[in-house]
Amino acid sequence: MTEPPSLPDGYEFSADTARVDVDRVHGWLSTDAYWAIGRPREKHERAMASSINFGVYDTASGEQVAYARVVTDRALFAWLADVYVDPSVRGKGVGTAFVGGIRDHLRPYGLRRILLATQDAHAVYERLGFRPLDRPDRFMVHLPE
């Protein structure tokens, strides 16, 4: 498995949900993330409550600069969702190191697979060992009305 680069100096990784700036994260996702535009705050909070939450923080200010969550049974399967890096730190290697840290945090569970969906960040995830599904025709989706 490919090792991620470490976070740039001045940033730290955390899996402590208590550190998540819920207002900031909801603002990012509901106004700037193509997959979550308009997401109600209550839905976001429920999603967080059922997930393992991760963040990257500026060590000088304590300000959160990235967020992601993982839905998992902690045995076989995980879904990496809501990965967001603040525009002010994009291009500095924060996102790649962040996702690598999440992948490594999940390693002790011995998961069979970690899935995600992305419209535009395939190269970032490929550097960390993610690849397209071998058999996407086996996956289905149900979209409730």
Side-chain angles (χ1 to χ4, degrees), residues 78-98:
W79 178 265
L80 176 58
D82 290 339
V83 179
Y84 189 91
V85 177
D86 188 271
S88 68
V89 298
R90 290 181 189 163
K92 296 180 178 181
V94 169
T96 302
F98 181 41

Side-chain angles (χ1 to χ4, degrees), residues 38-55:
R39 178 184 291 169
R41 168 77 181 243
E42 180 270 334
K43 289 271 190 183
H44 175 67
E45 289 179 3
R46 280 184 23 217
M48 284 185 64
S50 299
S51 302
I52 303 172
N53 296 275
F54 300 92

